[in-house]
Amino acid sequence: MFGLLLPAAQSQHVRRGLALLTSLLVGSVTPLLAASARAADRLDVQLDGLSLPLDLHQLDAWSRDPKGSRNELAIWFELLDERSRDDLVSLLRAPLLPDRGFALQLLQSWAGRQVLQEVGELFAGGKPGSGVLLLTTLRERLQRPEPIRFVELLLAVPTPQLTLDLDGLLQLAGLWRQQLEEQTLALERLRDLPLSFREDSGTRGRLSAIQPDLRPRSIALKVAHRSAPLELELWPAVAPRQGSWVVLMPGLGGSSAQLGWMAQGLAARGWPVVLIEHPGSNETAVRQMLDGQRPPPGAETLPDRLADVEAVLAAERQGQIPRLGHSVVLMGHSLGGLSALLAAGLRPLPGLARRCDRALDVIPLINISRLLQCQLQEVPLPEPASGQPRTLAAVVSLNGFGSLLWPARGLERLKAPLLITGGGLDLVTPPVSEQLALFLQHPDPRSRLVMVEGGSHFSVVRVKEHEQALWRLGDGLVGVEPVRVQELLLSLTTEFLTSVDTAMTMAPQRRSRDGVTAYVLDGRNARRWRDRIGR
């Protein structure tokens, strides 16, 4: 979720986004103090070294009847222009969290507890622990059937005074702006790299023209770690290359349908693909969360994901599914990319707690993946079966992350080439702090880093025609039209896998297709990029 200035027509989306953000603030905390404690009646707003007191009872009275209220606060609000005054009234009157069940489930998340610790500091001035009291009160009020407004929440907090540190909030906004500016500058430096240029044909090999009759075979694989069979899609290769095959994994909250374009494209080019549907961290799990039926999935789902991959590899070796090749490529999007690295035998390097203390010193408004990485401190990962699969051909991580898990050449144990891709507009796993930082830890000369200009974290996801709500969020979040990015990513992924199968390295280059540009970097050019942006 990102702070955006949206027109009034999108206010429903804004309220839902605010509901999500507010819910993340209220993870498990201490029980509510006795109801007999004195409730808050004043909010001190700290701004630019000044403390501005607001009488909460006056604010509540004005929000209910702006024209009839004649208190001191109402006189000040009359100085606002009419539109700003109306917007403030609407904000104060609106229910704070309309999706009650959804919010209550988010209270249980590990990420919510971490954000709580940081946001609570914004309310820490009036009395020690007042920020925790505010959020604990919200959690208690969510148990009641009646809707709650923001002022009503403040009035219910069992402390006589609350302090809102707007200076801290402005510092947080400044950090956000600085990170965005640094990301923009990094892309400008990327364009300056001396790379050879190549333009793909806009019609050759289009996904829509690739084997329209190619369909997957559904397989229900019985596995010991799940009560129900694991659902797989087997995409048989057209004219198999007799080389490697691909295990493909969606990201957190994703589904096999969203990556079917990649599976179909690779199968049409000679690579068999097994696409895994991971129960518990797939699209169904997210829908259940939105309906208030379960907490949001996170890094705690990784052990089951790794067991899924191990079961698929064993099934192929033992003939439970068709034999597909002599070596395997582990490929995934976002959390699926992290799963691929872990399934390859890697484990977080020692010192993760120390690195996370520094990384989570402020709320990660950009690079939400840090929350997932740091949650791994509490997730017991299984020991690698044999270090890494003996037949591992390569790892492909689409919008991957792991910079906190593997710093300082932490990927040296990965004895296979790595392709890691990112997008210039990715604010979930930012390209410099995640993909570049991670790529620089892997010394294999066959590895490549791909940056797509105008691509976002969601560019890899394909949804059906009638499910285009995601793209209506706007280019600033979704990036350029995703199918065009997917066409280019398929072309580059195919070229990388061909280089792996033929033992020929993929050339560093600037590649363009249908108006979308990607930069393919080897280790030398990745270090040049890092040096030019001063990292």
Side-chain angles (χ1 to χ4, degrees):
M1 287 296 162
F2 307 103
L4 302 172
L5 296 177
L6 299 174
Q10 295 176 311
S11 60
Q12 181 178 359
H13 301 295
V14 174
R15 286 197 299 271
R16 190 172 184 86
L18 289 173
L20 171 61
L21 178 59
T22 307
S23 299
L24 283 174
L25 311 182
V26 292
S28 300
V29 290
T30 56
L32 187 65
L33 295 182
S36 60
R38 180 183 173 188
D41 55 18
R42 193 178 83 178
L43 176 67
D44 286 340
V45 180
Q46 292 183 352
L47 178 63
D48 198 22
L50 300 176
S51 181
L52 309 175
L54 292 179
D55 187 299
L56 290 175
H57 295 284
Q58 291 187 15
L59 182 62
D60 184 45
W62 179 81
S63 67
R64 296 176 184 274
D65 185 12
K67 295 183 178 179
S69 181
R70 291 293 180 266
N71 56 50
E72 294 180 6
L73 198 58
I75 296 174
W76 283 106
F77 284 150
E78 287 299 320
L79 299 177
L80 298 173
D81 65 83
E82 184 176 358
R83 182 175 178 180
S84 297
R85 192 165 54 248
D86 291 344
D87 288 344
L88 180 57
V89 171
S90 298
L91 177 64
L92 293 175
R93 286 179 174 176
L96 189 59
L97 287 169
D99 296 324
R100 186 177 306 271
F102 170 60
L104 284 170
Q105 291 299 337
L106 279 171
L107 302 185
Q108 311 305 320
S109 69
W110 186 91
R113 297 197 299 271
Q114 309 313 307
V115 177
L116 165 65
Q117 295 173 7
E118 296 299 326
V119 175
E121 294 183 4
L122 298 176
F123 286 90
K127 180 181 177 182
S130 57
V132 174
L133 287 177
L134 173 70
L135 298 171
T136 305
T137 303
L138 174 58
R139 185 182 184 189
E140 187 273 337
R141 290 299 298 266
L142 284 172
Q143 308 291 335
R144 306 181 186 183
E146 66 273 7
I148 180 173
R149 299 181 300 118
F150 179 64
V151 180
E152 292 173 337
L153 170 66
L154 297 181
L155 285 168
V157 177
T159 184
Q161 178 182 336
L162 288 169
T163 299
L164 173 60
D165 184 7
L166 283 186
D167 288 323
L169 192 60
L170 291 174
Q171 290 176 0
L172 197 60
L175 177 62
W176 167 280
R177 183 172 57 252
Q178 178 185 345
Q179 290 174 324
L180 289 177
E181 291 172 351
E182 289 176 352
Q183 188 156 318
T184 300
L185 177 62
L187 291 175
E188 292 176 358
R189 297 292 184 264
L190 180 62
R191 298 187 192 106
D192 293 338
L193 291 179
L195 299 171
S196 61
F197 176 73
R198 173 180 163 187
E199 184 164 5
D200 280 359
S201 168
T203 57
R204 178 175 56 85
R206 273 195 175 278
L207 287 175
S208 58
I210 294 175
Q211 299 291 334
D213 58 341
L214 185 60
R215 294 290 185 270
R217 170 186 166 190
S218 297
I219 297 177
L221 180 65
K222 292 184 178 181
V223 294
H225 63 285
R226 294 191 184 275
S227 59
L230 184 63
E231 299 296 329
L232 309 175
E233 286 186 3
L234 171 58
W235 291 80
V238 176
R241 294 169 172 264
Q242 304 301 320
S244 56
W245 61 288
V246 178
V247 173
L248 182 56
M249 294 160 275
L252 183 64
S255 67
S256 57
Q258 294 173 355
L259 291 183
W261 64 270
M262 176 66 84
Q264 182 188 33
L266 292 176
R269 289 162 169 78
W271 286 276
V273 179
V274 173
L275 183 49
I276 303 178
E277 182 79 15
H278 294 286
S281 60
N282 58 1
E283 187 178 11
T284 299
V286 172
R287 292 186 185 278
Q288 291 172 342
M289 177 196 71
L290 294 174
D291 291 338
Q293 300 175 16
R294 57 160 294 156
E300 76 283 349
T301 64
L302 281 168
D304 279 341
R305 278 179 165 248
L306 297 180
D308 291 343
V309 175
E310 195 60 39
V312 170
L313 296 176
E316 194 271 344
R317 288 194 303 266
Q318 298 165 7
Q320 293 175 268
I321 63 176
R323 296 301 300 269
L324 300 173
H326 61 71
S327 60
V328 65
V329 175
L330 299 175
M331 180 185 302
H333 172 236
S334 191
L335 188 69
L338 177 60
S339 302
L341 289 168
L342 293 171
L346 298 176
R347 292 296 180 268
L349 293 182
L352 179 59
R354 181 179 65 255
R355 297 191 294 273
C356 285
D357 284 342
R358 294 195 299 266
L360 299 183
D361 186 51
V362 295
I363 303 171
L365 295 174
I366 293 179
N367 200 349
I368 299 173
S369 75
R370 287 183 172 179
L371 290 172
L372 285 173
Q373 294 181 65
C374 291
Q375 188 186 357
L376 279 175
Q377 300 173 76
E378 302 183 1
V379 177
L381 294 174
E383 290 295 324
S386 57
Q388 64 185 31
R390 288 178 296 175
T391 56
L392 182 64
V395 174
V396 178
S397 181
L398 309 169
N399 298 95
F401 60 93
S403 62
L404 292 178
L405 307 178
W406 297 293
R409 302 185 71 82
L411 294 187
E412 286 184 328
R413 290 184 57 196
L414 178 62
K415 305 304 181 183
L418 168 68
L419 173 65
I420 184 167
T421 74
L425 296 179
D426 191 343
L427 301 180
V428 179
T429 57
V432 173
S433 56
E434 283 306 323
Q435 285 95 44
L436 176 61
L438 187 60
F439 178 77
L440 290 171
Q441 312 313 320
H442 190 43
D444 194 312
R446 300 168 294 173
S447 295
R448 293 293 180 267
L449 172 66
V450 171
M451 286 290 113
V452 180
E453 191 166 357
S456 79
H457 196 75
F458 307 101
S459 295
V460 176
V461 175
R462 177 169 292 194
V463 295
K464 297 177 181 178
E465 292 278 335
H466 64 280
E467 296 177 347
Q468 291 293 327
L470 177 62
W471 311 143
R472 290 200 295 270
L473 291 175
D475 290 349
L477 185 58
V478 177
V480 299
E481 199 271 325
V483 174
R484 288 193 289 149
V485 176
Q486 292 163 14
E487 298 271 1
L488 183 54
L489 283 175
L490 176 61
S491 177
L492 292 171
T493 303
T494 300
E495 188 171 327
F496 173 76
L497 294 182
T498 300
S499 73
V500 171
D501 283 348
T502 61
M504 297 179 63
T505 57
M506 184 179 182
Q509 59 192 280
R510 180 164 60 95
R511 180 79 69 84
S512 179
R513 182 189 181 97
D514 290 336
V516 181
T517 299
Y519 303 84
V520 181
L521 309 182
D522 58 2
R524 179 185 179 189
N525 282 289
R527 289 188 291 274
R528 283 180 175 175
W529 186 26
R530 175 199 61 193
D531 294 343
R532 292 190 178 198
I533 59 181
R535 286 294 180 115

